[in-house]
Amino acid sequence: MSQPAFQLTTPAPDTLAVSGALTFATATAALGAGRAELDRGSQTVLDLSGVAQADSAGLATVLALLAHGRSKGRAIRVAHAPTGLQALARVSGVEPLL
């Protein structure tokens, strides 16, 4: 059985797009890759429209990427968060951070 995958792309200079799975299985790799992309670029948008599956580890990854951007002096906004991720953020009390 193959592991769920995620992919990062930069469809525009200001955008880091995430697609695939943001789950316990991918969170560590997604966080590392996302931080590296944010360090290399000047993205201010984290586009989650391609995220097909997310869990609490995926939510933690998104929040950690937002914090990483802030540590670099950039306010990063989330675009197109999937409904399930929004619901998880709401019940976790972190929805305003998205």
Side-chain angles (χ1 to χ4, degrees), residues 48-63:
L48 303 179
S49 62
V51 173
Q53 180 183 7
D55 60 19
S56 59
L59 176 60
T61 300
V62 169
L63 295 175

Side-chain angles (χ1 to χ4, degrees), residues 35-92:
R35 284 178 174 164
E37 286 296 325
L38 291 174
D39 287 347
R40 277 192 290 274
S42 58
Q43 300 94 339
T44 57
V45 177
L46 184 61
D47 181 355
L48 303 179
S49 62
V51 173
Q53 180 183 7
D55 60 19
S56 59
L59 176 60
T61 300
V62 169
L63 295 175
L65 289 174
L66 297 177
H68 186 74
R70 275 193 311 277
S71 77
K72 301 295 181 186
R74 274 187 276 157
I76 297 176
R77 71 175 178 84
V78 173
H80 313 291
T83 304
L85 193 65
Q86 290 175 7
L88 187 56
R90 188 175 318 108
V91 300
S92 301

Side-chain angles (χ1 to χ4, degrees), residues 7 14 16 18-19 21 31 52 69 75 80 90-91 93:
Q7 183 175 5
D14 69 337
L16 178 59
V18 183
S19 59
L31 181 58
H80 313 291
R90 188 175 318 108
V91 300

Side-chain angles (χ1 to χ4, degrees), residues 4-34:
F6 73 94
Q7 183 175 5
L8 299 178
T9 58
T10 51
D14 69 337
T15 303
L16 178 59
V18 183
S19 59
L22 276 180
T23 63
F24 283 102
T26 64
T28 300
L31 181 58

